[in-house]
Amino acid sequence: MGVYTLLVLGATTALTGAADACTSWPACGGQWFALDSLDLAVVWGHRTAAAVTGVVVVAAAVFAWRRGESRRVRAAVTAALALYPVQIALGAYTATTPGSSALAGGHLALAVGIFAALVLALAWTLDAQTGHLPSAEWEGEPRHDDSESSDPGTGPLATAKAYLRLTKPRLMWLLCLVAGAGMALAGGTQLAVETVALTLGGGVLSIGASGTFNHVLEREKDKKMARTDDRPLATDRIPPRNALAFGLVLGVGSLAAFAAVNLLTAFLGLTAIVFYSVVYTLVLKPNTRQSTVIGGAAGALPALIGWAAVTGEVGVAGIALAAVIFLWTPAHFYNLALAYKDDYERGGFPLMPVVEGEAKTRRHIVYYLGATLVSAVVLAALTDLGALYAGTTVALGSVFLYFAVRLHRERDRSAAMRSFHASNAYLGCLLVAVVLDAMVV
């Protein structure tokens, strides 16, 4: 995470124009650690982090060779070590040649390469140390996907709660936050209240429609899984025909709300419903271990919806935000797949832990976590996000990584669920930081 901190600081330095405050290297105008302004503090924070991180990279390479790590681990850390002086030299040249976007981009790209090499080294080291050990992430007392009692009760209120459960309300807050972040990036402080209300209202309805259709289409498989066997359609609490009609009403309502914003938003909303309900639920999830990866597009679409609601088009920054969500999804969901591996196997879903094993799944959590962190830096480089966003991705990214490493060490359900919740915290806080940085700070 030292390298990642350096990477984020570098992107923030270039982004905020702080680099212009010091156009000499290594000192600023002959002065060391002059902190006369916030811009200079950012510059010196970046250079200090570079020095400290360089020591850490050297130590990592030395330990890898002295401890006899695998060839690919040694190759990865050696590549990072070899690239580091080049990165420093390019950074120095960039600092003394202000205004060159090509140099700044190359400097950032090289930092991404170093970070990627170290992420790979970490994943491979953890795999070598723990991949052959027993795993038990799915063992323990089965739990349902809701905290409610399995006894649904009777009466109109119980029926209303059953219909509410069809909409998967636990997903709504996060996906609406994704759309909100997209709108904040696109509109900043100029957002219209009507646009926000219609977009979020349409989002709630579209998420509800997608969740309902998912319940209808997976009702037979849900009966086989302890996590889902108490869902309203699995228990015949709600007839499939009624649920389908409910989903159609929600879907039509969502498209009407989106169309009141603009037609592109409505088209993207329809795409999200169809993709999750049909492509993911019927095609991907029952047939391929890559369903989690490809299915991440469903969660990424709200970012494009939010952006399109404000601008009427799909912009580069909106795509970058969608990429963060897309890459985060496997790092997030693979933890749950580990915790409920036996359940998914009974349901006939060929998720990665079922067909490829636990060790490979844990390794891919680290891969996709690394990719998510890089994509968060790319988003910062393409937008006006600043210190709050930078601090959030470093702090919460570190927490997520910590629990992902603990998952490798402990390999039980508690560890998998801690990593799962850490991933939720990372993305939730990151999106809040996007909104605040774009509209308040």
Side-chain angles (χ1 to χ4, degrees), residues 5 65 206 342 358 415:
T5 302
W65 282 91
S206 66
D342 54 343
E358 304 82 24

Side-chain angles (χ1 to χ4, degrees), residues 265-289:
T265 302
F267 172 76
L268 291 172
L270 177 61
T271 301
I273 294 172
V274 172
F275 186 88
Y276 184 78
S277 304
V278 179
V279 178
Y280 174 71
T281 300
L282 286 182
V283 179
L284 296 174
K285 193 175 177 182
N287 296 303
T288 174
R289 67 181 183 278

Side-chain angles (χ1 to χ4, degrees), residues 31-282:
Q31 292 186 315
W32 291 88
F33 298 102
L35 305 178
D36 300 333
S37 67
L38 178 61
D39 285 348
L40 282 174
V42 172
V43 169
W44 280 112
H46 182 211
R47 295 184 183 182
T48 303
V52 173
T53 302
V55 174
V56 174
V57 172
V58 170
V62 170
F63 280 129
W65 282 91
R66 293 193 64 178
R67 293 173 57 179
E69 298 291 349
S70 67
R71 180 179 299 177
R72 61 181 182 176
V73 171
R74 295 198 304 269
V77 294
T78 301
L81 181 61
L83 289 174
Y84 206 81
V86 181
Q87 169 75 348
I88 292 175
L90 184 57
Y93 189 63
T94 302
T96 56
T97 313
S100 174
S101 57
L103 284 174
H107 184 51
L108 185 62
L110 195 56
V112 168
I114 294 170
F115 177 70
L118 293 175
V119 168
L120 291 174
L122 173 63
W124 293 335
T125 299
L126 290 170
D127 187 53
Q129 293 175 350
T130 66
H132 61 288
L133 298 176
S135 297
E137 287 94 340
W138 60 93
E139 293 183 358
E141 187 66 25
R143 292 185 297 173
H144 294 99
D145 60 354
D146 285 294
S147 58
E148 301 175 4
S149 168
S150 59
D151 180 9
T154 58
L157 182 59
T159 300
K161 287 183 177 180
Y163 274 99
L164 177 63
R165 190 175 177 189
L166 291 180
T167 66
K168 298 195 173 183
R170 285 187 169 189
L171 297 179
M172 285 183 181
W173 73 271
L174 188 59
L175 292 176
C176 284
L177 191 53
V178 172
M183 287 189 285
L185 281 177
T189 57
Q190 305 303 313
L191 273 179
V193 174
E194 182 181 3
T195 299
V196 174
L198 286 170
T199 304
L200 293 183
V204 167
L205 293 174
S206 66
I207 295 162
S210 300
T212 300
F213 294 144
N214 175 266
H215 275 258
V216 171
L217 296 170
E218 289 190 346
R219 62 186 185 278
E220 294 303 323
K221 290 182 178 292
D222 284 343
K223 295 176 181 179
K224 303 175 183 178
M225 300 169 59
R227 176 174 169 263
T228 58
D229 63 5
D230 67 337
R231 285 179 171 177
L233 272 79
T235 58
D236 298 320
R237 172 75 184 180
I238 297 174
R241 182 175 60 182
N242 293 10
L244 184 60
F246 178 63
L248 288 172
V249 170
L250 294 178
V252 171
S254 74
L255 295 180
F258 285 146
V261 180
N262 59 59
L263 291 181
L264 178 58
T265 302
F267 172 76
L268 291 172
L270 177 61
T271 301
I273 294 172
V274 172
F275 186 88
Y276 184 78
S277 304
V278 179
V279 178
Y280 174 71
T281 300
L282 286 182

Side-chain angles (χ1 to χ4, degrees), residues 273-369:
I273 294 172
V274 172
F275 186 88
Y276 184 78
S277 304
V278 179
V279 178
Y280 174 71
T281 300
L282 286 182
V283 179
L284 296 174
K285 193 175 177 182
N287 296 303
T288 174
R289 67 181 183 278
Q290 293 300 327
S291 61
T292 302
V293 177
I294 303 170
L301 277 167
L304 301 182
I305 290 171
W307 184 276
V310 176
T311 66
E313 60 184 17
V314 176
V316 174
I319 295 173
L321 177 60
V324 173
I325 312 304
F326 180 81
L327 293 169
W328 166 87
T329 301
H332 164 74
F333 185 76
Y334 280 155
N335 294 288
L336 194 68
L338 281 168
Y340 292 97
K341 173 192 169 183
D342 54 343
D343 240 4
Y344 286 115
E345 190 170 10
R346 282 195 298 269
F349 295 116
L351 300 186
M352 182 170 283
V354 176
V355 298
E356 296 285 352
E358 304 82 24
K360 185 172 182 178
T361 305
R362 290 192 296 267
R363 188 167 70 247
H364 277 247
I365 290 172
V366 177
Y367 290 161
Y368 279 103
L369 172 54

